[in-house]
Amino acid sequence: MFRRIGTAVVRHPVWTIVAWLIAAVAIVATAPSLPSNSDESSFLPKSYESIKAATVQDKAFPAAFTPSAIALYQRTDGSPLTAGDKQDVARITAQLGKEHIDQVQKVVAGPPSADGKYTMTLVQMDDRTAGQPKQADAAKVLRQDAKKLAHGTHLRVRVGGPAAQALDQQDSSKRGDALIGIGTFAIILVTLLIIFRAPILAVLPLVLIGVVSAIANGLIAYATKLFDLQANSSISSILIVVLFGVGTDYFLFLMFRYRERLRAGDEPKQAMTEAVARVGEAIASAAGAVIIAFLALTLSTLGFLRQMGPALAIAVGATLVAGLTLIPAVVSLIGPRVFWPSKSWKSEPSNARFAALGRGVQNRPALTAAVSGLILLALSLGTLGYKATFDLASGSMPKTKESMVVQDQMQKAYSAGAAAPTDVYLTSTSSTPLDKNTFTAYTRKLAAVDGVAAARLAQVNQQGTTADFTVTLKYEASTDQAIDTVQRVRDTAHTDAPTGTRAVVGGLSSIYKDIDTAVNHDYRTVFPVAALLIMVILGLLLRSIVAPWYLIASVGLGFGATLGSTVWIFQKGQGHSGLMFLLPVIMYLFVVAIGTDYNILMIARLREEAREGRTPREAAGMALKHAGPTVAAAGFILAATFATMMLAGNALLTEMGFAVSFGIAIAAFVMAMFFTPSLTALIGHAAWWPGHADRATHPTPTTGSIPHQAVGHDDKAAHDPSGRHN
């Protein structure tokens, strides 16, 4: 099949390119736009308690709100607020409410601090647009107007809260995004220039992947609208990384094989046809494994993972089609001039370093497997100390940002949980009103929970069937302590609820608790399903039920080694309280899914070498010699690209950049180069059981010789001038 695809594309390169350009223009011009939403509660299904609590609040207390923005006031000299200061605060609060700022629905006075040095204004925004960029814009206007209104007074006013944090995150990310973008392009350009010494080849993948990116984004928008999927523009940055990472990998897989066929003496068009025929199955299988892994995210209970899976799968699907059609068409049209001005494509290099590594694997496979396996296992031990943190705001921007200053000051002046209190909603299970005589005892029990700073009855609805008890925690909403406290609050609220009532606990800490529960559930569901489906892909590629087991085990070890190393460095070394809770999922997306590409490429080349009549150990050595440079180049570019995220200057992207780049390096330079080929060499022919995918059509009678007739099909250029098979 892949030979037919290669033949068709090479015969009609212009029509192939024109078809892609027409598709790009049509899709980009007509695709709908994607919405944007970063509201944490939208991530969860309605079955979780925090969402049930939000539903109760909407029905019983439609006027109640959790502030989207908080204006915090203090005197410029740091002394307690005077009566005149309080009048100025009241004036500013009233004026902000009269300005009808977009998204702002209500502006009310907040409570003063216990020491009298601080007070606040609470701002409600439209909960239907929570987390969207328009609320960050509203926070920007609030800041400007509040500072203007405070001009001429003795007050210093700062605006914080979720909307202001979103604004500061946007501002903070601009510099980081610029550095990441420049770093990514520079790394790809420089590395490809070093590898091929050809400017056309260095620029070509960036241009072609740019076209694929435009088409992929349009297809995602169409799929979102057609199938009513949840998707938003917030995943665009991840899409870019996936497209350039996967696209560059497939480009390198194809170009290394194209150059190899040219060196073997093939005519240019025949060389590209042979390249697609020989590496097409590996590319398709690698893409299939990545697509399956991404689609497994649709099994997640978290909305942002369910929306991410199909989008990433569509992007990889578009990249796969481009790798088998667009890239071969463009390169075949240019011909060997694509390597200009380098002449190295004309002669076969010795590949001395990779040949030496191949001989090492061939001669000592047991030692190689043991050493590489022990390294992965030792690094994996760090996973035992993994802790998750939900404090995405402080992790994604410097502490000097205004919203972070507000958060820090509120934790000192008020209870740390005052900015995002927890609400316990007590509802009658019948239509009869609640017994108000039970409220005092119930409030006392909530206040006595370990980790609670205070509890009070906030309000009762008009029908008297629902009561809202505000519980202020001692800890900031996203901390582990707050999440643990919320669980204790839930236990008490449920157990001590008066007869005939039902209690649900809401608030930001409650949402984080449910996200934590959902993530742990997904780890037990999504990961095993994805692993099983990837094993099916590997089984179909290799016609074996043995090889997929140790291949997926090596991927699992690579995942463990990556997470463990990240824990060692950031939690143990730098003293972080925990790692971003999304980190294991992100590692799964990039390290497990994309890292599997290198295993597939290496094992496919090993099978090809074995089919030429080599013994299992010889095949492993030759596979490393010839596929090693491809894996090394692709792995280095992808790892270095992700490492640029560490330039952004915040903890979140530093952790993410290190984890993903280290994981890809492990996948390329440990798993694919040493662990996988050495295990395959040790297991021998049994690795391909029950099939015989590694058996030569015409076995050679002499061990170690390279049979000229082994390839068997129409490979008339299989024997290159240097006397070896390809």
Side-chain angles (χ1 to χ4, degrees):
M1 180 181 77
F2 295 102
R3 184 176 297 278
R4 289 196 297 271
I5 292 173
T7 300
V9 169
V10 169
R11 285 179 178 175
H12 309 287
V14 174
W15 286 112
T16 303
I17 297 169
V18 169
W20 270 92
L21 293 177
I22 291 174
V25 172
I27 291 173
V28 171
T30 60
S33 60
L34 288 174
S36 179
N37 190 359
S38 59
D39 179 23
E40 290 90 348
S41 64
S42 68
F43 294 163
L44 294 165
K46 296 180 180 179
S47 59
Y48 282 87
E49 183 167 348
S50 59
I51 307 304
K52 291 179 179 178
T55 302
V56 171
Q57 174 186 306
D58 291 341
K59 292 180 179 178
F61 309 105
F65 69 93
T66 298
S68 299
I70 300 170
L72 185 67
Y73 306 90
Q74 68 177 131
R75 282 184 61 87
T76 53
D77 59 9
S79 59
L81 298 171
T82 65
D85 295 330
K86 294 176 183 178
Q87 290 179 354
D88 286 331
V89 170
R91 173 182 58 81
I92 294 171
T93 301
Q95 189 62 39
L96 287 174
K98 294 177 182 178
E99 292 187 355
H100 304 294
I101 299 171
D102 181 44
Q103 300 298 308
V104 174
Q105 297 180 331
K106 185 184 296 185
V107 182
V108 299
S113 63
D115 59 9
K117 293 183 178 181
Y118 296 88
T119 191
M120 62 179 75
T121 295
L122 307 178
V123 181
Q124 177 188 11
M125 296 187 188
D126 190 347
D127 59 3
R128 294 172 299 180
T129 57
Q132 296 189 12
K134 59 181 68 176
Q135 292 205 355
D137 296 339
K140 184 175 183 179
V141 176
L142 277 170
R143 276 184 179 168
Q144 294 171 347
D145 291 355
K147 287 176 170 57
K148 287 180 182 178
L149 292 170
H151 184 70
T153 70
H154 297 288
L155 295 172
R156 176 183 291 115
V157 56
R158 295 185 177 94
V159 176
Q165 288 178 353
L167 173 64
D168 288 341
Q169 285 172 346
Q170 289 178 5
D171 293 339
S172 180
S173 66
K174 288 179 180 177
R175 175 178 176 272
D177 288 348
L179 289 172
I180 291 170
I182 293 171
T184 297
F185 280 83
I187 286 169
I188 293 176
L189 282 170
V190 172
T191 306
L192 291 179
L193 278 172
I194 292 173
I195 293 171
F196 294 107
R197 298 189 292 278
I200 297 176
L201 268 181
V203 175
L204 193 59
L206 299 176
V207 175
L208 297 182
I209 296 168
V211 174
V212 176
S213 176
I215 291 177
N217 277 285
L219 292 175
I220 291 166
Y222 273 121
T224 300
K225 184 175 182 179
L226 182 62
F227 299 105
D228 195 26
L229 299 174
Q230 292 183 350
N232 60 58
S233 59
S234 62
I235 64 172
S236 59
S237 58
I238 297 179
L239 277 174
I240 292 297
V241 176
V242 169
L243 284 163
F244 277 90
V246 174
T248 303
D249 276 0
Y250 298 165
F251 179 82
L252 287 172
F253 292 177
L254 193 66
M255 292 310 302
F256 269 92
R257 185 53 72 97
Y258 175 60
R259 186 175 65 178
E260 183 177 322
R261 296 311 310 166
L262 287 174
R263 287 168 172 171
D266 287 358
E267 292 298 323
K269 291 188 177 296
Q270 179 63 20
M272 180 54 70
T273 301
E274 285 293 320
V276 175
R278 289 174 177 248
V279 84
E281 186 178 21
I283 291 177
S285 299
V290 176
I291 290 171
I292 286 294
F294 288 161
L295 287 179
L297 292 177
T298 58
L299 301 175
S300 172
T301 54
L302 294 175
F304 73 96
L305 292 182
R306 290 198 307 273
Q307 72 192 30
M308 189 183 295
L312 295 177
I314 290 171
V316 175
T319 307
L320 167 62
V321 177
L324 297 177
T325 59
L326 180 61
I327 294 174
V330 172
V331 175
S332 66
L333 194 64
I334 299 173
R337 292 188 302 274
V338 75
F339 296 104
W340 179 87
S342 173
K343 304 292 186 181
S344 62
W345 63 271
K346 294 183 177 181
S347 59
E348 178 69 30
S350 62
N351 278 349
R353 293 180 182 177
F354 289 97
L357 292 175
R359 287 193 297 272
V361 171
Q362 176 179 335
N363 296 331
R364 289 177 290 274
L367 178 63
T368 304
V371 171
S372 56
L374 285 174
I375 290 173
L376 295 175
L377 190 60
L379 294 175
S380 298
L381 294 177
T383 59
L384 300 176
Y386 169 73
K387 291 182 180 179
T389 179
F390 292 85
D391 191 6
L392 297 180
S394 62
S396 60
M397 68 182 101
K399 293 289 187 181
T400 54
K401 284 292 184 179
E402 186 169 332
S403 60
M404 291 294 96
V405 173
V406 170
Q407 178 174 295
D408 183 61
Q409 289 180 332
M410 288 189 65
Q411 289 180 12
K412 295 175 181 177
Y414 298 81
S415 168
T422 296
D423 289 283
V424 178
Y425 297 101
L426 193 65
T427 304
S428 173
T429 55
S430 63
S431 58
T432 58
L434 298 168
D435 182 1
K436 296 182 179 180
N437 295 323
T438 63
F439 290 171
T440 301
Y442 192 63
T443 303
R444 196 160 41 240
K445 290 178 180 178
L446 292 174
V449 173
D450 182 28
V452 171
R456 63 183 177 85
L457 174 65
Q459 55 188 329
V460 180
N461 69 340
Q462 292 181 349
Q463 296 79 18
T465 55
T466 302
D468 174 13
F469 297 84
T470 298
V471 178
T472 304
L473 308 184
K474 294 179 181 178
Y475 314 105
E476 196 274 323
S478 63
T479 60
D480 291 340
Q481 297 97 318
I483 293 171
D484 292 340
T485 301
V486 159
Q487 183 58 57
R488 293 192 289 270
V489 170
R490 285 181 174 180
D491 293 340
T492 299
H494 299 159
T495 302
D496 295 322
T499 304
T501 66
R502 179 179 63 253
V504 290
V505 180
L508 193 56
S509 293
S510 185
I511 291 172
Y512 287 143
K513 173 62 183 176
D514 287 340
I515 290 177
D516 187 37
T517 301
V519 167
N520 290 330
H521 169 269
D522 290 347
Y523 291 160
R524 297 189 299 270
T525 304
V526 176
F527 284 16
V529 170
L532 180 62
L533 293 175
I534 290 175
M535 286 179 64
V536 171
I537 294 287
L538 293 172
L540 293 174
L541 167 67
L542 304 175
R543 283 77 167 172
S544 167
I545 61 175
V546 174
W549 284 99
Y550 65 83
L551 290 176
I552 206 68
S554 71
V555 170
L557 275 176
F559 177 86
T562 303
L563 181 57
S565 299
T566 309
V567 170
W568 289 120
I569 290 177
F570 291 99
Q571 285 186 208
K572 307 296 183 182
Q574 298 189 10
H576 290 196
S577 60
L579 301 178
M580 180 185 62
F581 76 99
L582 282 174
L583 194 61
V585 177
I586 293 170
M587 286 169 47
Y588 158 77
L589 291 175
F590 298 111
V591 177
V592 175
I594 297 178
T596 303
D597 289 4
Y598 307 130
N599 257 347
I600 289 176
L601 182 70
M602 184 62 71
I603 201 73
R605 184 60 188 246
L606 192 152
R607 180 186 61 181
E608 183 180 330
E609 297 293 341
R611 283 176 171 174
E612 294 189 358
R614 295 182 174 91
T615 66
R617 294 192 178 196
E618 291 171 343
M622 294 300 292
L624 182 53
K625 176 183 178 181
H626 298 302
T630 309
V631 170
F636 173 79
I637 289 176
L638 195 57
T641 297
F642 277 103
T644 60
M645 298 173 71
M646 299 173 69
L647 301 174
N650 64 63
L652 187 152
L653 289 179
T654 298
E655 290 178 5
M656 188 187 306
F658 170 81
V660 176
S661 60
F662 184 84
I664 290 170
I666 286 287
F669 296 100
V670 179
M671 288 192 306
M673 284 199 186
F674 298 106
F675 194 64
T676 295
S678 60
L679 273 182
T680 306
L682 280 174
I683 297 172
H685 294 300
W688 309 94
W689 185 87
H692 302 286
D694 66 325
R695 299 302 174 90
T697 306
H698 302 287
T700 179
T702 305
T703 300
S705 64
I706 304 175
H708 182 264
Q709 72 272 31
V711 177
H713 51 262
D714 58 346
D715 185 11
K716 59 185 178 182
H719 204 284
D720 70 17
S722 64
R724 72 162 185 83
H725 281 291
N726 295 280

